Amino acid sequence: MAKAKEAELKLELINVGHGDALVLHWLPKTGKSSTILIDGGPARGAARLRETLDRLKATSIDLAVLTHCDADHVDGLLAYASGDDALPIDRYWGPCFPAFRRHAWLFPPRVASGIDKTEDLQKALPASCSVSWPVEGATWTSSDGDLSLKVISPAGRLIERLLLGSDTLSLFLREPMPMGWLLGSVEEEPDDEDPYADLRFAISTTEITPERVPNLPAVEQPAPAGDIAREVAGKEVEPEFFGNSVLNNTSIVLLVEARTGVRSQRLLLTGDLENFAYLMARYPMGLGCEIVKVPHHGSHSYVDSDLAYDEVWQWMRPRAALVSANGKHGLPRREFRDAALRYGTTLFCTSRRTREIVTGPLAESCCKIQYGCDHQAPVSLTISSQGIQSEGIACARGNLTGVMPVIEVRQHIVDPSPILSTMAEGEVRKHVDWAVNWLRATLIERQNRPADAELSPLSIKTLSRAAGAAGRIGAATQMELILERAARSGKVWLSQGSKYRRDDDRGVWILPNKEEIKAFEDWVDSYSIIHLAVADRHAGSAREELLYAADTTWLANRLAETFAFPVAMFEDAIWPKLVAHLLKSHSIGIRSFDGSPYRASGASIAMILFKEIDTDAAFTRLVERLERVDSNELADYLTAVFRYGHSSSGLPPKWPSAIDPAITPMRLATPMLPSGLVGNRYGASFPLLGLSTNSELVRRWIELVPYSMGPTLPEALLPSVFACLILSGFELFKRPKAAHPSR
């Protein structure tokens, strides 16, 4: 009885010299075969691609993939697609070249040529071909459902930043391109007026089609080209290859899964990816792949900015690895080869070696030179339920290097900090210190000029320009990340950002130092009485939560005028420090409102704070301060208060400026009356503090003054009446351990 046919996957790594060209030919148990073409190598790869497809008896290309815009991947594919004898291509995945066109001024001719040819390739595709630019999450499945390809890189956020971001130059100034920032969380804040909402939605669907990309925003050039070139040279990036790292690290990385018999086997096709920080964080347990197409022809492998051969190969741990290189650019590297073999990988290469080193030094950095490789041949694998078989011999099997290495397994933890992924730690610290010093100097200048309560914090864009003027090109292009590090270190205040907020919308300011915090405390202590109003009746009953629920607008404005710290940062960065001080140093009383005029203004709770141990001591001290105020001002204000309290019409009386140094006014959305001055609509409903001999006179005056009737208060009694009505009616529920000295 004949054995039933089982599915097979043929993998052909075509010998194109230095470059990548790979064919997957799927032979299912039943039905039509599928052919996937991934890259085409340099121009000469076109002829070898035709030969391979003919040998496999392919009749069409179900999916063609160009992993990235580099000549040793695109030239052969372009030459093949442009030929008259090219097989029909049903679907094409390629790099989102408008994301790179937007940065054309950055690329040298060699790199720009690859982008041009990528666009030419897309134009050469047949009109019937479905074209898209995939990002993480895009999938393709064969007609029988047993072969699937999934894009696992680039991340949509990365392509979106290249398409729309205003701070993209920072991605170009490091080798490899930073990836760790992708690991940070982002607050979603959809904007109905976002002109690029449709493009962002297209990215979220994992496949961008050309018609979904509108005219893109221009990229601001933050410094002259010569300055950027010097910055690049200082980071050991060859000018000819500037920007190549961005192309490499936006490679389309494919996870292939083939179901052969009862088992599924996985392949990882990495393009020229160099920085594995994002993938290793997304898949910390690895991908369980049997076969890996070696990244970037056996060049460097990184985790963020750290060279990390062992960590990457420990994470991948494939049974077999395929590399296509011929010694150009010193590739493959011997360090890559040894790391792969240390983790049990069988290595296949299009270069065939001619020597074995049993003992002796390994002096060459390129394994082609080290092992005398002088013959090129394709690599052909068959993947079936029986396993993986090759038509040729392997370069080496796991752990069989010329000189047996000591096996060293190291745990590598990926730090998700966006700063660490962008710049070296020492460089970050220098830029943080510069930004902090610049902000401190700006604060001092503001303090030497007339104060303004409405003065805004600085925008990130302002600091970026200042960094550019100071010759700090790296800092200028990634100022938001630098300031986020400074904020996490407690050196600056930074307003919240979101995915849809431009960086120049975020405000930044220096955080106060110890001396300034002490000055804030002395300033708030200079008030005999601090009034606060709470709108939310359900804000709580504990003193600290009530303080955080109170309206602090007046205090924030006065502090801004006095010390030049913007109002925008008061609630988050300054008020918590003052609350901690007030809880230790002040008595706190509260009073709830029912039918008083305050209910109409939205207030539900009033708070009063003073330094003395009890209200009697506070009364004595407040009277002393009010005796310095003109009695006519006190009399006029008291009269206006009770008339307003009776009618509740119009605006509350204006707070006398002469009282400002002693008592803070109360306010919510608008100025309000100090809570103790009004008991209810018809007069005070609480005992009057400190007026035992004159209480009946004062009560009579409170009742009749709204009607322009009643007794006249003696001038000498006015400070006591004012202090009494400020302090009366509160429930004291917190006292300091010891009275603070009066000021």
Side-chain angles (χ1 to χ4, degrees):
M1 181 176 177
K3 186 177 180 181
K5 178 186 175 184
E6 290 191 351
E8 285 185 343
L9 178 62
K10 299 282 188 181
L11 186 155
E12 299 286 334
L13 184 64
I14 302 170
N15 169 32
V16 293
H18 178 84
D20 273 359
L22 190 147
V23 175
L24 298 175
H25 191 58
W26 175 243
L27 301 170
K29 291 171 63 176
T30 58
K32 180 180 177 292
S33 63
S34 300
T35 304
I36 298 96
L37 171 59
I38 301 159
D39 293 329
R44 65 179 177 179
R48 293 177 179 174
L49 179 55
R50 290 189 191 92
E51 294 171 4
T52 302
L53 292 170
D54 289 344
R55 177 165 52 83
L56 293 170
K57 298 180 181 179
T59 57
S60 66
I61 296 171
D62 297 86
L63 176 65
V65 181
L66 175 64
T67 59
H68 65 293
C69 309
D70 212 347
D72 57 339
H73 294 250
V74 66
D75 284 8
L77 198 53
L78 172 60
Y80 175 77
S82 302
D84 295 334
D85 55 349
L87 294 177
I89 299 174
D90 296 333
R91 188 172 179 182
Y92 167 79
W93 279 351
C96 184
F97 65 83
F100 309 115
R101 278 267 179 259
R102 185 171 176 247
H103 304 87
W105 61 277
L106 276 168
F107 293 108
R110 180 193 176 282
V111 179
S113 173
I115 301 172
D116 292 339
K117 290 174 181 176
T118 298
E119 187 171 2
D120 292 341
L121 167 62
Q122 190 167 303
K123 293 175 181 177
L125 295 171
S128 59
C129 180
S130 173
V131 173
S132 65
W133 304 320
V135 296
E136 181 181 11
T139 58
W140 176 93
T141 306
S142 63
S143 57
D144 68 314
D146 285 342
L147 178 71
S148 65
L149 280 73
K150 180 180 179 181
V151 176
I152 61 173
S153 189
R157 283 177 61 198
L158 172 56
I159 298 304
E160 181 178 338
R161 182 173 175 183
L162 288 167
L163 284 167
L164 300 174
S166 60
D167 59 345
T168 49
L169 183 56
S170 62
L171 300 178
F172 291 82
L173 291 180
R174 300 296 301 176
E175 283 207 354
M177 184 190 76
M179 302 282 274
W181 60 274
L182 289 167
L183 307 179
S185 60
V186 174
E187 177 187 348
E188 297 289 341
E189 188 178 298
D191 184 353
D192 294 337
E193 298 182 0
D194 181 7
Y196 304 106
D198 183 65
L199 175 57
R200 297 185 203 276
F201 178 75
I203 294 171
S204 73
T205 65
T206 72
E207 289 193 56
I208 313 162
T209 51
E211 68 273 8
R212 303 293 288 275
V213 179
N215 292 328
L216 300 174
V219 179
E220 181 180 353
Q221 185 171 341
D227 290 351
I228 294 175
R230 282 188 289 274
E231 178 88 6
V232 170
K235 300 178 185 303
E236 300 181 354
V237 180
E238 296 179 40
E240 181 186 2
F241 292 92
F242 181 50
N244 214 61
S245 179
V246 174
L247 302 187
N248 289 343
N249 285 294
T250 52
S251 288
I252 297 173
V253 178
L254 298 169
L255 180 63
V256 182
E257 188 161 355
R259 185 173 180 80
T260 55
V262 296
R263 62 182 298 199
S264 292
Q265 301 187 72
R266 286 180 160 190
L267 297 76
L268 181 62
L269 310 179
T270 58
D272 275 6
L273 186 72
E274 295 177 308
N275 190 344
F276 281 78
Y278 180 68
L279 284 182
M280 290 173 70
R282 287 278 286 113
Y283 304 95
M285 301 304 293
L287 292 164
C289 295
E290 277 81 5
I291 299 172
V292 167
K293 198 289 297 181
V294 168
H296 200 189
H297 319 290
S299 185
H300 296 302
S301 293
Y302 295 88
V303 174
D304 278 343
S305 57
D306 296 330
L307 194 59
Y309 291 113
D310 279 282
E311 288 84 353
V312 170
W313 282 94
Q314 180 187 2
W315 175 74
M316 292 193 297
R317 283 187 176 274
R319 294 179 182 273
L322 318 178
V323 60
S324 177
N326 65 356
K328 187 176 182 180
H329 303 307
L331 303 178
R333 293 185 178 275
R334 179 176 52 79
E335 294 93 338
F336 130 74
R337 181 181 189 271
D338 288 348
L341 296 176
R342 275 196 287 275
Y343 293 96
T345 301
T346 297
L347 189 63
F348 296 91
C349 186
T350 54
S351 291
R352 302 296 198 259
R353 62 192 176 91
T354 62
R355 78 166 65 102
E356 184 70 83
I357 300 175
V358 180
T359 63
L362 300 176
E364 299 293 341
S365 61
C366 175
C367 64
K368 179 183 185 297
I369 299 172
Q370 185 72 58
Y371 296 100
C373 305
D374 66 353
H375 174 63
Q376 294 284 125
V379 175
S380 299
L381 299 182
T382 299
I383 301 153
S384 68
S385 61
Q386 304 301 310
I388 303 169
Q389 294 185 10
S390 168
E391 294 182 7
I393 62 171
C395 173
R397 296 182 67 86
N399 290 329
L400 297 183
T401 55
V403 179
M404 292 294 288
V406 176
I407 299 177
E408 179 185 0
V409 180
R410 290 181 289 167
Q411 179 69 31
H412 188 92
I413 299 173
V414 178
D415 189 339
S417 163
I419 282 292
L420 289 177
S421 65
T422 308
M423 297 187 298
E425 182 69 18
E427 186 176 1
V428 173
R429 284 197 297 268
K430 291 178 183 177
H431 289 320
V432 166
D433 290 344
W434 174 85
V436 169
N437 290 335
W438 193 92
L439 286 167
R440 173 64 59 187
T442 304
L443 169 65
I444 293 171
E445 286 191 37
R446 284 191 176 187
Q447 289 174 335
N448 290 331
R449 299 186 60 80
D452 181 0
E454 301 302 321
L455 207 58
S456 299
L458 291 173
S459 70
I460 291 179
K461 193 168 187 176
T462 299
L463 259 74
S464 296
R465 289 170 173 168
R472 294 177 174 271
I473 308 303
T477 59
Q478 45 200 342
M479 183 55 69
E480 185 170 12
L481 299 180
I482 292 168
L483 293 174
E484 284 175 350
R485 163 58 72 85
R488 288 195 297 273
S489 301
K491 296 179 179 179
V492 304
W493 168 83
L494 187 63
S495 65
Q496 293 297 312
S498 71
K499 182 177 180 178
Y500 298 108
R501 188 195 300 271
R502 288 176 55 85
D503 58 5
D504 52 330
D505 286 336
R506 299 185 70 182
V508 62
W509 198 247
I510 191 76
L511 281 173
N513 56 31
K514 291 181 179 179
E515 291 76 16
E516 286 160 338
I517 293 171
K518 180 61 168 62
F520 297 166
E521 293 172 354
D522 291 343
W523 168 78
V524 80
D525 285 348
S526 69
Y527 292 98
S528 293
I529 303 294
I530 299 169
H531 273 113
L532 295 170
V534 178
D536 183 4
R537 179 170 292 276
H538 305 291
S541 57
R543 58 185 185 272
E544 187 167 1
E545 61 182 335
L546 283 173
L547 285 170
Y548 285 127
D551 187 307
T552 57
T553 304
W554 190 89
L555 287 172
N557 287 332
R558 298 295 79 71
L559 185 135
E561 291 175 347
T562 306
F563 298 102
F565 279 83
V567 168
M569 68 182 294
F570 182 86
E571 183 176 347
D572 294 331
I574 296 176
W575 183 233
K577 298 182 185 301
L578 290 179
V579 166
H581 169 69
L582 292 170
L583 288 172
K584 294 177 183 177
S585 61
H586 281 59
S587 297
I588 301 176
I590 65 168
R591 180 181 173 201
S592 297
F593 297 121
D594 293 316
S596 76
Y598 290 103
R599 297 302 297 142
S601 65
S604 62
I605 297 172
M607 301 183 70
I608 190 167
L609 297 91
F610 49 84
K611 299 185 297 296
E612 286 71 27
I613 198 70
D614 55 32
T615 50
D616 290 332
F619 174 83
T620 301
R621 175 59 181 153
L622 182 56
V623 169
E624 291 175 2
R625 295 195 67 173
L626 291 174
E627 285 174 345
R628 306 169 197 167
V629 178
D630 183 89
S631 59
N632 290 327
E633 284 194 60
L634 294 179
D636 291 345
Y637 183 66
L638 286 171
T639 300
V641 161
F642 284 102
R643 287 178 179 170
Y644 172 78
H646 178 76
S647 64
S648 297
S649 62
L651 295 175
K654 185 179 179 181
W655 183 253
S657 58
I659 307 176
D660 269 356
I663 309 169
T664 70
M666 185 182 302
R667 61 178 296 138
L668 281 172
T670 60
M672 298 161 54
L673 306 179
S675 62
L677 289 177
V678 179
N680 57 40
R681 189 178 183 86
Y682 305 105
S685 60
F686 41 73
L688 296 178
L689 176 71
L691 296 178
S692 57
T693 59
N694 297 292
S695 60
E696 288 305 317
L697 173 65
V698 173
R699 286 187 186 280
R700 181 71 174 158
W701 177 81
I702 291 173
E703 290 177 13
L704 297 177
V705 71
Y707 307 101
S708 301
M709 298 167 57
T712 301
L713 292 177
E715 181 177 322
L717 191 58
L718 285 170
S720 297
V721 172
F722 200 100
C724 162
L725 295 174
I726 286 285
L727 289 163
S728 296
F730 284 92
E731 174 193 354
L732 199 63
F733 77 124
K734 188 270 177 185
R735 304 170 190 265
K737 292 182 179 179
H740 282 242
S742 297
R743 294 173 184 264

